[in-house]
Amino acid sequence: MIGLDAIGIAAATLPAAVALHHVLDTQSPRHWRNAAFWGAFATTLGAGPWLPDLVNGCLVLAMVALATLGLKPAPVATTDDATRGTLARRWGGRLFLPALALPLVTLGGTLALPNGKLGGIALIEPKQVTLVALAAGAAVALVLALLLTRPPRGASASEARRLIDGIGWPMVLPQMLAALGGIFALAGVGKVVAGGVLGLVAVDTPFVATLVYCLGMAVFTVVMGNAFAAFPIMTLGIGVPILIHQLHGDPAAVAALGMLSGFCGTLLTPMAANFNIVPVAALELRDRFAVIPVQAPTALLLLVFNIAALTLLAFPGSPK
């Protein structure tokens, strides 16, 4: 069956293509440094499950060392603003088709193959249906973009490198911080957090427990910069033992709305560099933190909604 290993291989094709593009760019003085960084990332994604833990750890340390030394890639040749304007007028709204194909294929695949079976044949691991559909959506979007724009040979890899070089090492932050969250969970940080919270607040009603859980997800995300890092800490410390086991809340609602509360924190923190610092650099804004004040009202309103929704959905009929 198609599982997480196959998805990792598919995901590795992007940094692998970028690494190869850097190898071939012999005019850049740091092309080997950039190639090594993205090559190591591609290796961890694609071959990580089959490599010894020590090798994976060394690859991560090598990436940290390379990023510390500084990647500073050379600029990539691309179209100018006038050419882009001409092409945009030619294709018009059709340019949105590849972008729309990604969520549509992902949603359609998830709904069409809920158990990963096609014609009674187990094709996909049930837990990975959505990720496999997402990978398929990305492939469909790429094919549509190529058919629509008919770019020169190699343009996909070149433009991918241009975009990734613009983002730089923060592109790997989600994976790094998610791994950090897993380490914190194994170290028992969630239990320490739960002990501290229970010592300060009487978490004995659905509303109070939900309030503590959702606010904790948002605050930990602000501090750590990624909801995937905060999720195992708060869910193992508050979500599972209190909301689910003690108060008998719906696990699906607790997990989904808890993660969404963490995303509210993502909108509020410069620690989420790949979301809140990179766009500022890409748009060449003067204020490094320009997007955070704009996002803050949405984040706070959504956090209030999450608290109310989780209280109502996870504990229907219980006294609040």
Side-chain angles (χ1 to χ4, degrees), residues 75-122:
V76 180
T78 185
T79 53
D80 56 26
D81 291 340
T83 303
R84 293 185 184 185
T86 302
L87 297 175
R89 287 189 293 272
R90 178 193 302 174
W91 292 314
R94 290 177 294 170
L95 286 171
F96 290 99
L97 290 176
L100 292 174
L102 181 58
L104 290 176
V105 173
T106 302
L107 179 61
T110 302
L111 296 177
L113 303 170
N115 298 317
K117 294 182 178 180
L118 181 63
I121 300 175

Side-chain angles (χ1 to χ4, degrees), residues 261 263-265 267-268 294-304 306:
S261 298
F263 294 155
C264 296
L267 298 175
L268 298 171
V294 177
Q295 295 170 166
T298 300
L300 296 175
L301 287 173
L302 185 57
L303 183 58
V304 172
N306 291 338

Side-chain angles (χ1 to χ4, degrees), residues 21 60-61 63 68 91 97 117 129 134 159 172 178 193 219 278-279 282 292 320:
H21 203 277
V60 173
L61 292 176
M63 292 172 62
T68 303
W91 292 314
L97 290 176
K117 294 182 178 180
V129 170
L134 176 62
E159 290 299 316
V172 307
V193 171
V219 170
V278 170
I292 296 177
K320 305 300 188 285

Side-chain angles (χ1 to χ4, degrees), residues 40-208:
F41 186 42
T43 303
T44 60
L45 286 176
W50 296 280
L51 294 175
D53 293 340
L54 179 61
V55 175
N56 279 313
C58 289
L59 286 171
V60 173
L61 292 176
M63 292 172 62
V64 173
L66 291 167
T68 303
L69 291 173
L71 301 179
K72 296 181 181 179
V76 180
T78 185
T79 53
D80 56 26
D81 291 340
T83 303
R84 293 185 184 185
T86 302
L87 297 175
R89 287 189 293 272
R90 178 193 302 174
W91 292 314
R94 290 177 294 170
L95 286 171
F96 290 99
L97 290 176
L100 292 174
L102 181 58
L104 290 176
V105 173
T106 302
L107 179 61
T110 302
L111 296 177
L113 303 170
N115 298 317
K117 294 182 178 180
L118 181 63
I121 300 175
L123 183 65
I124 304 170
E125 290 183 11
K127 293 182 179 180
Q128 310 302 339
V129 170
T130 300
L131 284 178
V132 172
L134 176 62
V140 170
L142 176 60
V143 171
L144 286 176
L146 294 174
L147 292 176
L148 175 65
T149 61
R150 304 286 182 177
R153 183 180 301 176
S156 298
S158 176
E159 290 299 316
R161 175 193 156 183
R162 184 179 66 84
L163 178 61
I164 289 180
D165 284 351
I167 297 174
W169 61 262
M171 179 180 170
V172 307
L173 274 179
Q175 288 84 356
M176 295 287 191
L177 291 173
L180 180 62
I183 293 172
F184 281 0
L186 291 174
V189 176
K191 294 181 180 179
V192 175
V193 171
V197 170
L198 295 176
L200 297 173
V201 182
V203 188
D204 52 2
T205 65
F207 174 73
V208 174

Side-chain angles (χ1 to χ4, degrees), residues 229-241:
F231 185 75
I233 298 174
M234 291 305 301
T235 302
L236 293 178
I238 304 294
V240 172

